């Protein structure tokens, strides 16, 4: 199973000071040294972390494939087609959101032409979708070869059940009783597993990500039909305390143990 390291938060830290460090490119070389398979960056419309310059330097110098997450937007499409990363993952984007909420709207009128533009430029096009058979069938009908399942709901349920998150001011509005939470978590994990299997049977390459951490990753990594996990926040949070190399290798180990 591949680990795609999302390095957005290196740029989030830099933007807190609006200076030139830390540089996301330095993280790419550390990641390479410990065998990270893929680097993921999100070029947001509001440029809150990654900027075009970051994309340009990472795509030019990284020794491994680059996956750019982005919204359906003609200006972004133009920038990315010029830079030609290995893969683009189309995600929904709302200006006010803290992070990507929910999967892509597969009925978006510009989705098909955007996918075709990337494919014509030799860039792999992936769709970030909510689990479910209907979404998989729609994705396949749109002509993509790769989809990424949104693990956000699973992750939020996991944290609500298994951590002190439920006591935190940022807690989410889920049922409080552990048995109800557990039932929802099981259901959400099952939905991920069934979707991964169904997608694999349809000939799609199945990836997953969002909100996974060192405790929850094993349950998802165990799903054999998944070939790639994209993880950022948990690794960068740990990296601040123990260093990036250790944070990455701890996550690689957690994934390896589950497979
Ligand atoms: N996959 C996609 C499509 C995302 O948008 C994100 C967040 O940018 C991630 C994975 C990684 O999520 P997290 O930072 O919560 O690990």
């Amino acid at each position: 199973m591949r680990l795609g390291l999302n390095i957005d938060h290196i740029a989030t830290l830099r933007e807190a000071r609006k200076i030139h460090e830390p540089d996301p490119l330095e993280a790419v070389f550390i990641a390479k040294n410990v065998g990270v398979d893929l680097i993921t960056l999100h070029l947001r419309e509001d440029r809150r972390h990654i900027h075009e310059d970051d994309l340009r330097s990472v795509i030019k110098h990284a020794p491994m494939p680059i996956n750019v997450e982005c919204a359906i937007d003609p200006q972004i499409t133009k920038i990315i087609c010029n830079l030609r990363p290995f893969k683009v993952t189309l995600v929904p984007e709302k200006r006010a959101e803290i992070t990507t909420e929910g999967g892509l709207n597969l009925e978006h009128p510009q989705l098909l032409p955007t996918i075709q533009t990337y494919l014509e430029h030799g860039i792999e096009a992936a769709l970030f979708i909510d689990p479910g058979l209907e979404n998989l069938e729609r994705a396949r009908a749109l002509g993509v070869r790769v989809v990424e399942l949104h693990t956000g709901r699973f992750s939020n349920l996991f944290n609500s059940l298994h951590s002190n998150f439920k006591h935190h001011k940022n807690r989410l509005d889920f049922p409080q009783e552990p048995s109800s939470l557990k039932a929802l978590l099981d259901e959400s994990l099952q939905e991920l597993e069934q979707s991964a299997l169904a997608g694999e049977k349809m000939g799609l390459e199945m990836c997953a990500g969002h909100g996974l951490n060192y405790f929850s990753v094993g349950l998802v990594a165990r799903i054999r039909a998944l070939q790639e996990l994209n993880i950022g926040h948990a690794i960068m949070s740990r990296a601040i305390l123990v260093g990036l190399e250790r944070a990455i290798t701890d996550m690689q180990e957690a994934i390896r143990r589950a497979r």
Side-chain angles (χ1 to χ4, degrees):
M1 169 174 261
R2 297 187 297 270
L3 170 64
L5 177 69
N6 182 311
I7 59 172
D8 293 347
H9 286 337
I10 308 264
T12 303
L13 187 56
R14 178 193 61 201
E15 293 306 307
R17 270 293 164 98
K18 301 268 179 234
I19 54 169
H20 62 296
E21 61 179 5
D23 184 344
L25 185 59
E26 281 188 53
V28 171
F29 295 120
I30 291 170
K32 173 65 186 165
N33 283 343
V34 291
V36 163
D37 306 286
L38 178 90
I39 295 291
T40 295
L41 315 91
H42 188 166
L43 184 66
R44 292 190 80 103
E45 198 191 8
D46 61 11
R47 307 293 197 271
R48 69 174 70 159
H49 36 53
I50 295 296
H51 287 228
E52 271 170 70
D53 284 350
D54 296 317
L55 264 195
R56 194 166 294 113
S57 72
V58 167
I59 290 169
K60 183 167 177 205
H61 298 291
M64 66 283 247
I66 303 300
N67 169 33
V68 181
E69 298 169 352
C70 64
I72 302 164
D73 174 280
Q75 275 173 341
I76 299 258
T77 308
K78 201 167 160 204
I79 294 168
I80 296 175
C81 283
N82 281 331
L83 296 174
R84 290 179 193 252
F86 172 74
K87 174 165 91 165
V88 160
T89 302
L90 292 168
V91 302
E93 217 174 87
K94 295 181 207 127
R95 202 164 259 272
E97 71 188 359
I98 294 169
T99 182
T100 315
E101 292 164 0
L104 204 55
N105 167 16
L106 298 174
E107 303 299 328
H108 192 298
Q110 287 311 308
L111 181 53
L112 181 61
T114 305
I115 292 169
Q116 286 170 341
T117 304
Y118 284 124
L119 294 177
E120 280 159 16
H121 281 78
I123 301 166
E124 184 78 89
L127 305 181
F128 188 46
I129 64 169
D130 287 320
L133 200 57
E134 235 177 81
N135 288 340
L136 288 164
E137 278 165 355
R138 178 89 188 114
R140 193 178 55 165
L142 286 161
V144 295
R145 211 185 54 82
V146 185
V147 303
E148 179 172 336
L149 297 176
H150 199 315
T151 55
R153 180 174 162 77
F154 160 81
S155 301
N156 287 334
L157 287 163
F158 184 95
N159 291 338
S160 299
L161 182 65
H162 289 297
S163 77
N164 61 4
F165 183 43
K166 56 184 165 290
H167 304 297
H168 197 268
K169 67 180 170 53
N170 293 337
R171 72 180 170 274
L172 292 160
D173 194 17
F174 285 128
Q176 291 295 303
E177 323 77 66
S179 60
S180 311
L181 263 177
K182 173 85 170 59
L184 290 173
L185 178 66
D186 289 349
E187 195 183 285
S188 142
L189 187 60
Q190 226 177 47
E191 205 182 18
L192 283 168
E193 184 156 17
Q194 285 167 356
S195 295
L197 251 170
E200 187 188 45
K201 281 196 185 128
M202 288 178 192
L204 292 165
E205 182 179 307
M206 298 305 297
C207 311
H210 207 283
L212 298 173
N213 63 27
Y214 294 86
F215 304 102
S216 62
V217 72
L219 290 173
V220 175
R222 206 173 283 150
I223 301 174
R224 307 296 313 181
L226 291 175
Q227 297 186 31
E228 176 185 305
L229 294 181
N230 284 295
I231 306 178
H233 186 86
I235 296 176
M236 293 307 161
S237 302
R238 184 158 169 72
I240 289 169
L241 304 172
V242 302
L244 183 56
E245 190 171 320
R246 165 91 187 275
I248 295 169
T249 53
D250 284 353
M251 186 59 83
Q252 288 169 322
E253 186 50 31
I255 293 171
R256 217 169 283 132
R257 270 201 308 270
R259 295 294 279 184

